[in-house]
Amino acid sequence: MKYKIALFLLLIFALQSCQNENDKRLAENEKEAKKNEKIFNNINKAWIFIDEPINEVSEQNVRNWNEWRDFLKELGDKPRKTIGAFQKKSTAISKKALALNNNIPSQFNQPQIKARIAILITKVKMMDLFIHLNQIPDDKVAFLIGEINKELVSLERQMDKIVEKAKIPKEEGEADFLRMLDTTRAIPNSAPPLDQNLPRVE
């Protein structure tokens, strides 16, 4: 009889313990869901990219430079509903950003444009990395969205500067002067090396 009572009490204790663990697990799941909802809302609020050209030059590039057009279009399509949708969109934006290095129009195939594209790609990749972490730092993702927008503006303004600079007429002889400054066109030193054994006048 004692054994039956002890077994009965042990069974009640085990059931009570399972109930407590279930309650604890449900509370943790609810807490995690609220946290994820907050992260989603913060990213959703911050997810605003400058997907429209800010100047005439950039507008022309949308028509002529496919990679630029595709990148801006990808930025313009805002994901909805889940954090997973934002993660997929971030990966797609990252791929389109990498493609900007391809087929750069000859007019813009210059170091200052390539440098700005490289910075833009780096910031897009950082955003993609942060949004794919298990614990998403939504503040960093929001900050990087702002940084990406700044880089977009910087890139488009640099394109505009290049076009405006090309419109300035060159002065007579300026082209020859610039060619003379080009060190890659310099005449190689073809003088024979000095013989160390020859007497020198001092």
Side-chain angles (χ1 to χ4, degrees):
M1 187 72 175
K2 286 181 184 178
Y3 293 118
K4 287 182 182 179
I5 293 172
L7 190 61
F8 180 71
L9 290 173
L10 188 63
L11 185 64
I12 289 174
F13 180 73
L15 287 172
Q16 186 65 28
S17 153
C18 287
Q19 183 66 36
N20 288 343
E21 281 193 25
N22 281 343
D23 291 345
K24 198 184 287 184
R25 196 176 306 122
L26 285 172
E28 283 176 13
N29 286 347
E30 192 176 325
K31 187 178 174 185
E32 189 69 26
K34 283 181 182 176
K35 185 179 172 187
N36 287 341
E37 186 180 349
K38 184 182 175 222
I39 289 170
F40 172 80
N41 288 335
N42 289 343
I43 291 174
N44 190 36
K45 197 187 320 177
W47 197 275
I48 300 167
F49 288 103
I50 301 172
D51 61 327
E52 292 292 320
I54 64 165
N55 54 34
E56 198 177 309
V57 173
S58 182
E59 214 170 290
Q60 288 172 350
N61 281 336
V62 167
R63 289 191 290 268
N64 303 328
W65 185 10
N66 293 338
E67 288 78 9
W68 180 248
R69 179 177 56 241
D70 293 345
F71 178 67
L72 290 181
K73 185 178 183 300
E74 199 67 54
L75 286 177
D77 297 336
K78 186 175 179 177
R80 302 268 183 252
K81 294 181 182 174
T82 65
I83 202 71
F86 282 105
Q87 289 171 332
K88 284 180 187 173
K89 177 53 75 175
S90 177
T91 302
I93 290 171
S94 185
K95 285 179 186 172
K96 297 292 182 186
L98 279 171
L100 288 174
N101 280 323
N102 305 332
N103 305 322
I104 298 172
S106 57
Q107 183 180 20
F108 302 119
N109 200 356
Q110 297 182 20
Q112 56 270 42
I113 294 292
K114 288 181 176 180
R116 281 169 176 77
I117 288 173
I119 294 168
L120 179 64
I121 289 169
T122 301
K123 296 205 171 162
V124 168
K125 281 184 166 183
M126 283 173 64
M127 180 190 71
D128 190 38
L129 172 77
F130 283 130
I131 207 166
H132 279 90
L133 293 174
N134 288 335
Q135 297 295 319
I136 299 170
D138 50 321
D139 55 334
K140 289 184 180 176
V141 172
F143 172 76
L144 283 166
I145 289 168
E147 290 294 300
I148 289 166
N149 283 330
K150 284 181 194 172
E151 294 307 324
L152 280 167
V153 169
S154 173
L155 178 59
E156 291 181 60
R157 284 190 177 146
Q158 187 61 46
M159 289 175 188
D160 195 42
K161 277 183 192 173
I162 289 170
V163 169
E164 290 304 311
K165 197 173 177 183
K167 289 178 184 176
I168 299 170
K170 289 194 174 12
E171 291 184 22
E172 188 178 322
E174 187 178 351
D176 294 334
F177 178 72
L178 290 173
R179 270 200 304 274
M180 285 171 52
L181 290 176
D182 187 2
T183 57
T184 59
R185 296 176 42 91
I187 300 170
N189 188 1
S190 58
L194 293 173
D195 186 1
Q196 296 296 328
N197 298 328
L198 289 176
R200 283 185 266 169
V201 178
E202 292 184 20

